[in-house]
Amino acid sequence: MTTYSQGDDSVVVVIGSGAGGGTLANELCKQGVKIVLLEAGKRESPATFINDEWASFGQLAWLDKRTTSGSWRVAKDFSGLPAWICKTVGGTTTHWAGASLRIHDHEFRARTVYGEIKGANLLDWPLTLKELAPYYSRAEDKMGVTRTHDVAGLPGNNNFKVFYNGAVKVGYKNCNTGHMAINSRPRADRASCQQYGFCFQGCKSGAKWSTLYTEIPAAENTGKLELRTECHVARIEHDDNGKVTGVVYFDKDKKEQRQKARVVCVAGNSIETPRLLLMSTSGKFPDGLANSSGQVGRNYQRHTTGSMYATFNEPVHMYRGTTMAGIVTDEAVNNPKRGFVGGYELETLSLGLPFMAAFLDPGAWGPQFTEAMDNYVNMAGLWIVGEDMPQASNRVTLNPTEKDQWGLPVPNVHYDDHPNDIALRNHAYKQARAIYEAVGAKKTYEVPPYPSTHNLGTCRMSAKPSDGVCNKWGQTHDIKNLFISDGSQFTTGAAENPTLTIVTLAIRQAEYIGMQMKVQTI
Amino acid sequence: MSTQTVPLRGITRPQFSRREFLKGTGILVGTLWASSTALITLAPSRVWALELKVLDERTGNALLVFTRQIFPHAKLDDAVYALVVKDLDAEAAGSAEVKKLLTEGAAGLDKAAGGDFKAAAKEKQSEITASLAKTPFFEKVRSKAIVSLYNNELAFAHFGYEGNAFQRGGGYLQRGFNDLKWLPAPSAKASPAAFTG
């Protein structure tokens, strides 16, 4: 195993081993760059994953203390759990469902296409779909995305059959088993999908792409990676010139450690990334690192979500097979005639009995609730993923009083739905209900948003330094050798599940960092 | 792959001893309903018993009936509700505050029912339960039950959730992931055939 000394200031430190950090680390290692990868969680494997919802949640989820505020329903239902993301090697790529969709051309130009929307802090991305397309293609190949690179689509399960028949009946033209980073055939030393039905709990067969068993071992094989697990970064340090010089972290024995670095890349997901920058205050940067714009932590986006479950007279057994088994893309367009800008995807989703009880209607009790549960076997379900409006006041801040186990201020996540978000969600609920009623639903259940899995935008990229935190390579406007390498970079949220774009940006960022290191600009 | 015993989480054959009575704690006892066929195949015997660590029998019984009122599944056996009482009891064993909340709450149920909540008419139980909604006692029981009641192998069997596919020796690929017959099959383009090689 490769190891680097803590005083080695020639290494690149990557914080977080998920879609962004894990991919970036591997791509840099392949170029011969020395990487110290710091991960707050432990290392699991397909062998240690647990096909049990609550037990797996305890194994993988990020459960450090967090607080919430704002009028979003998550703050009421799950006040200490704003996000359902992971603290483990591989990050949330252990938990994700695998949907791998490219952001649409118009979504990269949200401000231009949608126009001025009151209360929304819309901005065009500083890059285009055309610029990203070759990197998207590399990401799809790397991840083995179905229906790209001659990878066959996955077979649809029972939940998909209900969804598909309903979608066709209401007139949707684009419904299939989607673009999934789940092997439909053995590929890239990974097995094919066995339809375990526990995609959210870590894939036991390794058919679903995760950095845990792809990028990270590949990086280790280069001899350039040192992965340090159970290391929680508390602060990024800088010199008098305002360049970052290393990080301070707590190791698994809770001891404070300091790692020097030539470059620091932050990929802690969209809550921890801004939190770390905000905690790294100094005389030179009293508002935190890379925050001259004041945008660090702002524009927190989580997608406009919601679910629809429906019960039928006949069995469905929706939990059998891939958690997200199919998609309708017809609504992922910008058609303001629907009463909102931006669009949404409809994707099948299933929950096991324990999580169905927890999420169907949090706080509910009594016969209406139990009637739904009595019909669990006859239930089908889908999830709404829509573009939410970035708002400056939706933000991650440091809680002034609450501290975590390290004595660090916990992040507070504030979110209010924008009127556009509410209009979009209501439209999606109506369409989802129509899909299920078209195939004979007895009852339909509008299910409120789960804790956020898509956390985006809190260190957004912008053409102008005054509008955002980083440039189109994720390099912070203020500090040349500090990079944002996760979904925090997203200028706007678009309507697509974000992982593919996070991986795409990481591949592109690795090229840029490698080049800049060669020419000694960083 | 080896088969694993289905964990029944403390539902055992009754084993009465003087010890329970000496400790002053309770033991809940019942018989699986004849209609609970899915459970009978899993349980070691029709008669079940659940030993409580700190709560007394009267409290345990009141909590069981109260939980049934909060999450009323007419066909769900008392044995599954007993698992919620077991988890409440375990929490009470670690917290004097919780023990007090549950003991006093259960006593309050009895008092509101004019003596015995368990023996009261269903309508009366329902009325009392509704009147307590959102109280700390109600929330303690509800929030425990929403997890405990639906997170055990007996509940899985009752509600028809097959759960852990890996433990059964393979995914649903071979066991009905696409066996739905009451709707037409999607086109092969939308849903290609499974790879089973």
Side-chain angles (χ1 to χ4, degrees), chain A residues 106-140:
Chain A
H106 75 270
E107 291 169 329
F108 285 106
R109 296 177 288 117
R111 174 64 184 81
T112 300
V113 176
Y114 304 162
E116 167 95 37
I117 305 288
K118 196 179 166 208
N121 198 14
L122 283 167
L123 190 69
D124 289 350
W125 289 56
L127 43 71
T128 62
L129 177 60
K130 200 174 166 201
E131 275 177 272
L132 269 193
Y135 297 96
Y136 265 131
S137 180
R138 283 168 62 183
E140 287 159 347

Side-chain angles (χ1 to χ4, degrees), chain A residues 45-47 49-51 60 93-96 182-183 190-196 198-210 212-213, chain B residues 166:
Chain A
S45 73
F49 288 148
I50 311 164
N51 274 193
L60 300 177
T93 65
T94 57
H95 162 71
W96 77 309
I182 298 176
N183 276 352
R190 289 186 290 118
S192 59
C193 176
Q194 299 301 304
Q195 304 282 343
Y196 284 118
F198 285 85
C199 302
F200 281 177
Q201 284 70 36
C203 179
K204 293 291 282 182
S205 69
K208 182 187 80 180
W209 180 86
S210 167
L212 172 63
Y213 38 77
Chain B
F166 186 80

Side-chain angles (χ1 to χ4, degrees), chain A residues 46-47 50-55 147 152-165 169 175-178 184-186 192-198 204 312-317 319-322 351-354 357-358 362-367 369-371 373-377 439, chain B residues 1 68-76 81 126 129-131 133-134 138-139 142 146-153 155-167 169-197:
Chain A
I50 311 164
N51 274 193
D52 175 305
E53 289 180 315
W54 281 113
R147 301 174 199 271
L154 283 158
N157 64 1
N158 291 338
N159 201 21
F160 176 72
K161 281 190 190 178
V162 178
F163 178 72
Y164 175 86
N165 278 284
K169 282 203 173 168
C175 178
N176 59 45
T177 56
S184 56
R185 306 276 184 280
S192 59
C193 176
Q194 299 301 304
Q195 304 282 343
Y196 284 118
F198 285 85
K204 293 291 282 182
F312 297 86
N313 286 320
E314 306 277 344
V316 178
H317 298 283
Y319 56 85
R320 293 181 186 165
T322 48
L351 296 172
L353 186 79
W365 62 279
F369 173 83
T370 51
E371 186 202 346
M373 295 302 293
D374 283 338
N375 283 288
Y376 176 75
V377 162
V439 280
Chain B
M1 195 164 303
R68 184 179 273 290
Q69 280 295 329
I70 297 174
F71 294 116
H73 294 284
K75 293 178 181 167
L76 183 60
Y81 287 96
S126 166
T129 302
S131 75
K134 297 194 173 163
F138 180 98
E139 272 307 302
R142 189 202 62 78
I146 195 69
V147 177
S148 292
L149 191 62
Y150 302 103
N151 191 35
N152 61 81
E153 296 285 341
F156 290 2
H158 172 84
F159 290 101
Y161 170 57
E162 296 157 290
N164 190 333
F166 186 80
Q167 187 177 286
Y172 291 108
L173 185 63
Q174 309 294 346
R175 290 183 298 108
F177 85 107
N178 64 351
D179 66 355
L180 186 150
K181 295 285 188 287
W182 54 273
L183 286 169
S187 70
K189 189 163 173 254
S191 175
F195 173 79
T196 52

Side-chain angles (χ1 to χ4, degrees), chain A residues 82-376:
Chain A
W84 181 0
I85 52 180
C86 298
K87 182 180 188 172
T88 187
V89 175
T92 309
T93 65
T94 57
H95 162 71
W96 77 309
S100 302
L101 306 169
R102 294 186 183 194
I103 292 179
H104 298 188
D105 175 59
H106 75 270
E107 291 169 329
F108 285 106
R109 296 177 288 117
R111 174 64 184 81
T112 300
V113 176
Y114 304 162
E116 167 95 37
I117 305 288
K118 196 179 166 208
N121 198 14
L122 283 167
L123 190 69
D124 289 350
W125 289 56
L127 43 71
T128 62
L129 177 60
K130 200 174 166 201
E131 275 177 272
L132 269 193
Y135 297 96
Y136 265 131
S137 180
R138 283 168 62 183
E140 287 159 347
D141 186 31
K142 176 194 278 290
M143 299 160 81
V145 176
T146 57
R147 301 174 199 271
T148 75
H149 299 273
D150 295 323
V151 180
L154 283 158
N157 64 1
N158 291 338
N159 201 21
F160 176 72
K161 281 190 190 178
V162 178
F163 178 72
Y164 175 86
N165 278 284
V168 169
K169 282 203 173 168
V170 302
Y172 284 133
K173 303 294 179 212
N174 301 289
C175 178
N176 59 45
T177 56
H179 292 287
M180 304 297 291
I182 298 176
N183 276 352
S184 56
R185 306 276 184 280
R187 186 179 192 269
D189 294 329
R190 289 186 290 118
S192 59
C193 176
Q194 299 301 304
Q195 304 282 343
Y196 284 118
F198 285 85
C199 302
F200 281 177
Q201 284 70 36
C203 179
K204 293 291 282 182
S205 69
K208 182 187 80 180
W209 180 86
S210 167
T211 55
L212 172 63
Y213 38 77
T214 59
E215 302 298 304
I216 290 164
E220 286 174 326
N221 287 338
T222 65
K224 291 292 176 185
L225 179 76
E226 182 185 352
L227 168 65
R228 294 183 199 156
T229 61
E230 296 179 76
C231 291
H232 186 97
V233 181
R235 196 164 67 249
I236 301 170
E237 297 189 314
H238 65 83
D239 62 17
D240 293 343
N241 300 322
K243 275 176 59 181
V244 297
T245 54
V247 302
V248 176
Y249 65 93
F250 293 101
D251 69 13
K252 59 171 166 279
D253 302 318
K254 302 188 186 333
K255 278 204 196 118
E256 192 177 282
Q257 305 287 356
R258 178 174 274 104
Q259 174 64 52
K260 295 275 187 202
R262 178 173 170 183
V263 175
V264 173
C265 303
V266 192
N269 206 310
S270 229
I271 296 175
E272 291 306 312
T273 291
R275 179 194 183 203
L276 180 56
L277 298 185
L278 292 172
M279 287 193 299
S280 302
T281 52
S282 65
K284 196 174 179 70
F285 299 117
D287 300 323
L289 291 182
N291 198 19
S292 65
S293 64
Q295 294 293 309
V296 170
R298 292 189 186 271
N299 312 305
Y300 170 71
Q301 289 151 88
R302 52 147 351 258
H303 276 147
T304 296
T305 65
S307 306
M308 181 68 68
Y309 289 89
T311 54
F312 297 86
N313 286 320
E314 306 277 344
V316 178
H317 298 283
M318 66 173 172
Y319 56 85
R320 293 181 186 165
T322 48
T323 303
M324 195 167 279
I327 186 167
V328 164
T329 58
D330 297 57
E331 300 285 0
V333 293
N334 182 47
N335 173 12
K337 282 184 190 151
R338 292 175 298 182
F340 54 90
V341 297
Y344 60 88
E345 311 280 358
L346 297 170
E347 300 169 350
T348 79
L349 196 78
S350 72
L351 296 172
L353 186 79
F355 276 11
M356 184 52 69
F359 291 121
L360 178 68
D361 186 7
W365 62 279
Q368 270 194 318
F369 173 83
T370 51
E371 186 202 346
M373 295 302 293
D374 283 338
N375 283 288
Y376 176 75

Side-chain angles (χ1 to χ4, degrees), chain A residues 24 168 405 408 429:
Chain A
L24 177 69
V168 169
Q405 66 267 44
L408 304 170
Y429 276 145

